[in-house]
Amino acid sequence: MRAVQVTEFGGPEVLTPVELPDPVAGPGEVLVDVERIGVNYADTHQAENSYLAPSKLPLVPGGEVVGRTPDGKRVVALLNGGGGYAEKAVAPEATTFPVPDGIDDLTALSMLVQGTTAWILLKKNAHLAEGESVVVHAAAGGVGTVAVQLAKAWGAGRVVATASSDEKRALALELGADVAIDSRAEDMTEALLDANGRRVDIVLDMVGGKTTDQSIAALAPFGRLAFYGMAGRESPKPVDLRNILGHSTTISGMWLPHIFRVPGNVFGTALTELFDLVLAGKLKAIPGGEYALPDARGAHEALRSRKTVGKLLLDPAK
């Protein structure tokens, strides 16, 4: 089968098209004939071995695919440790889900990782209450586009989106944000206070660095910042616990695999709710571009440039 492999860690340049033997499903696994592959920020970290879970070489990156099982069922699946950048992939049965009629490949993959991430951040990390303000950083990205829509659907009082271009900010407003501001603001604390008219209740942050530091400083009493990535590849400053106490704020982290350690089928519930919202016309996936499988490098370059919007896909048929 055709695949993309990493044999040395690094940036997009290490993604190499290769021919590999077809994978074989073992006990508790499902073989998927892949029709589309989702591209995530986590894949870029996996390729350079800077992800939370260490990578091992040789590596076929990619954690999510949509396609068909040998008996013809259409499924979307989370993979275990990679293997997605290929024409065929093996997924655990426990993280393989049927795709309802009316849900296309783009939407299935958008909701599988980005959608469930936004759902978990708002429900389990931030515990969004009706009327609260929500800041969504990187609001035109995969998670951001879903988070803006969910926050409004679930009764947020004011959604403040941040994005780096006029086009991205226009998209955030189209999706329901009340105001969209430049993510490159020199003083993000002041920018958020001005945009919201007061301190903010919730911040969803996957940028890192000073964006995180200055967002924490903008939190209202009992405000919550949910941190789920470092697209800027800069760590925030260490948090002084006295400051958390002094402002009664909460800072939490979220790594999607941990949801499978929580009792109950939280992930399945989230995915089902997201698909239902899509079918009801209350939520939509935003296309970010589709690349041929051998051009996975181009997809990573685009993602790391932070110029993309929505969900990026690879097409293994091209």
Side-chain angles (χ1 to χ4, degrees):
M1 68 174 185
R2 295 192 311 154
V4 170
Q5 190 178 60
V6 173
T7 57
E8 59 177 324
F9 294 124
E13 72 281 355
V14 304
L15 299 171
T16 305
V18 295
E19 290 283 339
L20 294 175
D22 289 357
V24 177
E29 294 180 327
V30 178
L31 180 66
V32 180
D33 287 314
V34 179
E35 295 176 353
R36 293 291 189 284
I37 302 152
V39 181
N40 296 303
Y41 265 105
D43 301 348
T44 70
H45 287 291
Q46 192 178 40
E48 66 184 12
N49 200 24
S50 61
Y51 194 45
L52 286 174
S55 302
K56 294 181 180 180
L57 297 175
L59 165 72
V60 174
E64 54 170 355
V65 298
V66 62
R68 295 191 179 273
T69 60
D71 59 0
K73 294 179 181 177
R74 188 158 167 263
V75 297
V76 64
L78 283 173
L79 310 182
N80 185 12
Y85 288 14
E87 293 179 306
K88 296 179 183 291
V90 168
E93 289 179 355
T95 56
T96 300
F97 307 91
V99 179
D101 293 340
I103 300 292
D104 61 19
D105 290 347
L106 168 70
T107 303
L109 288 168
S110 294
M111 298 305 142
L112 182 69
V113 171
Q114 280 83 8
T116 55
T117 295
W119 190 99
I120 293 163
L121 287 168
L122 287 168
K123 284 217 171 184
K124 295 196 72 65
N125 287 77
H127 303 285
L128 171 63
E130 188 171 353
E132 289 189 311
S133 56
V134 179
V135 173
V136 181
H137 286 305
V143 175
T145 52
V146 178
V148 167
Q149 296 175 79
L150 284 182
K152 293 303 291 186
W154 290 342
R158 188 167 176 83
V159 174
V160 178
T162 79
S164 60
S165 69
D166 291 339
E167 293 78 12
K168 289 184 176 184
R169 291 190 287 274
L171 173 60
L173 293 171
E174 177 189 327
L175 294 174
D178 296 285
V179 61
I181 63 176
D182 195 333
S183 60
R184 299 164 299 181
E186 185 62 30
D187 188 337
M188 183 57 69
T189 303
E190 182 180 354
L192 293 180
L193 296 179
D194 288 346
N196 195 47
R198 60 179 180 83
R199 289 183 169 274
V200 298
D201 298 308
I202 293 168
V203 176
L204 307 185
D205 176 34
M206 54 86 70
V207 179
K210 76 172 187 177
T211 296
T212 305
D213 300 331
Q214 294 179 357
S215 296
I216 292 171
L219 288 173
F222 299 100
R224 290 88 73 198
L225 181 140
F227 187 70
Y228 65 102
M230 277 194 301
R233 284 174 161 75
E234 292 183 11
S235 297
K237 295 178 182 176
V239 175
D240 187 332
L241 295 182
R242 292 171 297 179
N243 290 338
I244 295 179
L245 180 64
H247 295 88
S248 296
T249 51
T250 298
I251 301 169
S252 66
M254 199 283 282
W255 187 35
L256 190 61
H258 287 151
I259 202 64
F260 296 102
R261 302 183 188 179
V262 176
N265 185 19
V266 178
F267 188 92
T269 297
L271 190 58
T272 298
E273 285 190 14
L274 292 165
F275 283 159
D276 287 346
L277 286 169
V278 171
L279 294 172
K282 298 179 180 179
L283 179 63
K284 64 180 180 180
I286 305 300
E290 186 170 288
Y291 296 75
L293 177 60
D295 192 26
R297 178 184 302 185
H300 277 222
E301 288 171 345
L303 199 59
R304 289 183 61 149
S305 75
R306 298 179 61 190
K307 294 179 180 178
T308 61
V309 301
K311 182 66 177 178
L312 275 65
L313 304 179
L314 299 178
D315 184 348
K318 294 180 180 178

